[in-house]
């Protein structure tokens, strides 16, 4: 056993690597060209049409600088439409395109499978505890993040 095997930060990084690998494998299996961040962006645009890039970045807790490249790729794939904001011609808004809505619908069952894959080795009780602890940690530590979630559901102590 290595010292790394008991460091929470190292273990969290490893779980993130595993999650990304499982997502990529499921999307490849489905024949879909989509990353987990792209899925989050599309799902958020479906639920909140007409966002600007900065607001979208905040809603998915993603770096504001890096979101530009994500959006560029989604526009190139015709999943997202970038339009001039009718109330501020200098600004652009983002809308889910028809192809984006289609891939989102096709990806949904595969994304659900990924969630099951991630916790497959845990019992039902362990899964519930794991998700509850992750939720508590991300909510409580949100302000410390380089890309904090903005506009998400706040963690309340009584939810613990």
């Amino acid at each position: 056993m290595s010292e790394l095997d008991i460091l929470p930060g190292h273990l969290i990084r490893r779980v993130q690597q595993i999650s990304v690998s499982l997502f990529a494998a499921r999307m490849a299996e489905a024949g879909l060209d989509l990353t987990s961040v792209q899925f989050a962006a599309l799902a958020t645009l479906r639920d909140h049409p007409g966002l600007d890039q900065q607001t979208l970045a905040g809603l998915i807790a993603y770096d504001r600088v890096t979101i530009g490249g994500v959006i560029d790729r989604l526009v190139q794939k015709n999943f997202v439409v970038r339009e001039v904001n009718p109330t501020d011609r200098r600004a652009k808004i983002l809308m889910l395109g028809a192809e984006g809505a289609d891939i989102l619908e096709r990806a949904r069952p595969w994304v659900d499978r990924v969630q099951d894959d991630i916790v497959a080795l845990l019992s039902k009780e362990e899964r519930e505890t794991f998700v509850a602890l992750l939720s508590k940690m991300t909510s409580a530590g949100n302000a410390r993040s380089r890309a904090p979630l903005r506009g998400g559901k706040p963690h309340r102590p009584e939810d613990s």
Side-chain angles (χ1 to χ4, degrees), residues 8-39:
H10 177 73
L11 295 171
I12 290 167
R13 182 184 65 79
R14 293 284 296 125
V15 168
Q16 168 62 9
Q17 288 176 318
I18 293 164
S19 172
V20 169
S21 293
L22 291 170
F23 192 95
R26 284 294 188 185
M27 291 303 111
E29 184 180 348
L32 301 174
D33 181 19
L34 196 64
T35 68
S36 58
V37 173
Q38 290 172 345
F39 176 82

Coordinates of all heavy atoms in Angstrom, one line a residue, residues 8-39:
P8 N -7.1 11.6 0.2 CA -8.4 11.9 -0.4 C -8.3 12.6 -1.8 O -9.0 12.2 -2.8 CB -9.2 12.8 0.6 CG -8.6 12.4 1.9 CD -7.1 12.1 1.6
G9 N -7.4 13.5 -1.9 CA -7.2 14.2 -3.2 C -6.8 13.3 -4.3 O -7.3 13.4 -5.4
H10 N -5.9 12.4 -4.0 CA -5.4 11.5 -5.0 C -6.5 10.5 -5.4 O -6.7 10.2 -6.6 CB -4.2 10.7 -4.5 CG -3.7 9.6 -5.4 ND1 -3.0 9.9 -6.5 CD2 -3.8 8.3 -5.4 CE1 -2.7 8.8 -7.2 NE2 -3.2 7.8 -6.5
L11 N -7.3 10.0 -4.4 CA -8.4 9.1 -4.7 C -9.5 9.8 -5.5 O -10.0 9.2 -6.4 CB -8.9 8.5 -3.4 CG -7.9 7.6 -2.7 CD1 -8.5 7.3 -1.3 CD2 -7.6 6.4 -3.5
I12 N -9.8 11.1 -5.2 CA -10.8 11.8 -6.0 C -10.3 12.0 -7.4 O -11.1 11.8 -8.4 CB -11.0 13.2 -5.3 CG1 -11.8 13.0 -4.0 CG2 -11.8 14.1 -6.2 CD1 -11.8 14.2 -3.1
R13 N -9.0 12.3 -7.6 CA -8.5 12.4 -9.0 C -8.6 11.1 -9.7 O -9.0 11.1 -10.9 CB -7.0 12.9 -9.0 CG -6.4 13.1 -10.3 CD -5.0 13.4 -10.3 NE -4.2 12.3 -9.8 CZ -3.8 11.3 -10.4 NH1 -4.1 11.1 -11.7 NH2 -3.0 10.3 -9.9
R14 N -8.4 10.0 -9.1 CA -8.5 8.7 -9.7 C -9.9 8.4 -10.1 O -10.2 7.9 -11.2 CB -7.9 7.6 -8.8 CG -6.4 7.7 -8.6 CD -5.6 7.2 -9.8 NE -5.9 5.8 -9.9 CZ -6.3 5.2 -11.1 NH1 -6.5 6.0 -12.2 NH2 -6.6 3.9 -11.1
V15 N -10.8 8.7 -9.2 CA -12.3 8.4 -9.5 C -12.7 9.3 -10.7 O -13.4 8.8 -11.5 CB -13.1 8.7 -8.2 CG1 -14.6 8.7 -8.6 CG2 -12.9 7.6 -7.2
Q16 N -12.2 10.5 -10.7 CA -12.5 11.4 -11.9 C -12.0 10.8 -13.2 O -12.7 10.7 -14.2 CB -11.9 12.8 -11.7 CG -11.9 13.7 -12.9 CD -13.3 14.0 -13.5 OE1 -14.3 13.7 -12.9 NE2 -13.3 14.6 -14.7
Q17 N -10.7 10.3 -13.2 CA -10.2 9.6 -14.3 C -11.1 8.4 -14.7 O -11.3 8.2 -15.9 CB -8.8 9.1 -14.1 CG -7.7 10.2 -14.0 CD -6.4 9.6 -13.6 OE1 -6.3 8.7 -12.7 NE2 -5.3 10.1 -14.2
I18 N -11.5 7.6 -13.8 CA -12.3 6.5 -14.1 C -13.6 6.9 -14.6 O -14.1 6.3 -15.6 CB -12.5 5.6 -12.8 CG1 -11.2 5.0 -12.4 CG2 -13.6 4.6 -13.0 CD1 -11.1 4.5 -10.9
S19 N -14.2 7.9 -14.1 CA -15.5 8.4 -14.6 C -15.4 8.9 -16.0 O -16.3 8.6 -16.8 CB -16.0 9.6 -13.6 OG -17.1 10.2 -14.2
V20 N -14.4 9.6 -16.3 CA -14.2 10.1 -17.7 C -14.0 9.0 -18.7 O -14.5 8.9 -19.8 CB -13.0 11.1 -17.8 CG1 -12.6 11.4 -19.2 CG2 -13.4 12.4 -17.0
S21 N -13.2 8.0 -18.2 CA -13.0 6.8 -19.1 C -14.2 6.0 -19.3 O -14.5 5.6 -20.5 CB -11.9 5.9 -18.5 OG -10.7 6.5 -18.4
L22 N -15.0 5.8 -18.3 CA -16.3 5.1 -18.4 C -17.3 5.9 -19.3 O -18.0 5.3 -20.2 CB -17.0 4.9 -17.1 CG -16.2 3.9 -16.1 CD1 -16.8 3.9 -14.7 CD2 -16.3 2.5 -16.7
F23 N -17.3 7.2 -19.2 CA -18.2 8.0 -20.1 C -17.7 7.9 -21.5 O -18.6 7.6 -22.4 CB -18.1 9.5 -19.6 CG -19.2 10.3 -20.3 CD1 -20.4 10.5 -19.6 CD2 -19.0 10.9 -21.5 CE1 -21.4 11.3 -20.2 CE2 -20.0 11.6 -22.1 CZ -21.2 11.8 -21.5
A24 N -16.5 8.0 -21.8 CA -16.0 7.9 -23.1 C -16.3 6.5 -23.7 O -16.6 6.4 -24.9 CB -14.4 8.2 -23.2
A25 N -16.1 5.5 -22.9 CA -16.3 4.1 -23.4 C -17.8 3.9 -23.8 O -18.2 3.4 -24.8 CB -15.9 3.1 -22.4
R26 N -18.7 4.4 -22.9 CA -20.1 4.3 -23.2 C -20.6 5.1 -24.4 O -21.4 4.6 -25.2 CB -21.0 4.7 -22.0 CG -21.0 3.7 -20.9 CD -21.7 2.4 -21.3 NE -21.9 1.5 -20.1 CZ -22.4 0.3 -20.2 NH1 -22.8 -0.2 -21.4 NH2 -22.5 -0.4 -19.1
M27 N -20.0 6.3 -24.6 CA -20.3 7.1 -25.8 C -19.8 6.4 -27.0 O -20.5 6.4 -28.0 CB -19.8 8.5 -25.6 CG -20.5 9.4 -24.6 SD -22.3 9.5 -24.8 CE -22.8 8.6 -23.3
A28 N -18.6 5.8 -27.0 CA -18.1 5.1 -28.1 C -19.0 3.9 -28.4 O -19.3 3.6 -29.6 CB -16.7 4.7 -27.8
E29 N -19.4 3.2 -27.4 CA -20.3 2.0 -27.6 C -21.6 2.5 -28.2 O -22.1 1.7 -29.1 CB -20.6 1.4 -26.2 CG -21.4 0.2 -26.2 CD -21.7 -0.4 -24.8 OE1 -21.0 0.0 -23.9 OE2 -22.5 -1.3 -24.7
A30 N -22.1 3.6 -27.9 CA -23.3 4.2 -28.5 C -23.1 4.8 -29.8 O -24.1 5.1 -30.5 CB -23.9 5.2 -27.5
G31 N -21.9 5.0 -30.2 CA -21.6 5.6 -31.5 C -21.8 7.1 -31.5 O -22.1 7.7 -32.5
L32 N -21.6 7.7 -30.3 CA -21.9 9.2 -30.1 C -20.6 9.9 -29.8 O -19.8 9.4 -29.1 CB -22.9 9.4 -28.9 CG -24.2 8.7 -29.0 CD1 -25.0 8.9 -27.8 CD2 -25.0 9.2 -30.2
D33 N -20.4 11.0 -30.5 CA -19.3 11.9 -30.3 C -19.6 13.0 -29.3 O -20.0 14.1 -29.7 CB -18.9 12.5 -31.7 CG -17.6 13.4 -31.6 OD1 -16.9 13.2 -30.6 OD2 -17.5 14.2 -32.5
L34 N -19.4 12.6 -28.0 CA -19.8 13.5 -27.0 C -19.0 13.3 -25.7 O -18.8 12.2 -25.3 CB -21.3 13.3 -26.6 CG -22.1 14.3 -25.8 CD1 -22.3 15.6 -26.6 CD2 -23.5 13.7 -25.5
T35 N -18.6 14.4 -25.1 CA -17.8 14.3 -23.8 C -18.8 14.6 -22.7 O -19.9 15.1 -22.9 CB -16.7 15.3 -23.7 OG1 -17.2 16.6 -23.7 CG2 -15.7 15.1 -24.9
S36 N -18.4 14.3 -21.4 CA -19.3 14.6 -20.3 C -19.5 16.1 -20.1 O -20.6 16.5 -19.8 CB -18.7 14.0 -19.0 OG -17.4 14.5 -18.8
V37 N -18.5 16.9 -20.4 CA -18.7 18.3 -20.3 C -19.7 18.8 -21.4 O -20.6 19.7 -21.1 CB -17.4 19.1 -20.4 CG1 -17.6 20.6 -20.5 CG2 -16.5 18.7 -19.2
Q38 N -19.6 18.3 -22.6 CA -20.5 18.6 -23.7 C -21.9 18.2 -23.3 O -22.8 19.0 -23.6 CB -20.0 18.0 -25.0 CG -18.8 18.6 -25.5 CD -18.2 17.8 -26.7 OE1 -18.6 16.7 -27.0 NE2 -17.3 18.4 -27.5
F39 N -22.0 17.0 -22.7 CA -23.4 16.6 -22.3 C -24.0 17.6 -21.3 O -25.1 18.0 -21.4 CB -23.3 15.2 -21.7 CG -24.7 14.7 -21.2 CD1 -25.6 14.2 -22.0 CD2 -24.9 14.9 -19.8 CE1 -26.9 13.8 -21.5 CE2 -26.2 14.5 -19.3 CZ -27.1 14.0 -20.2

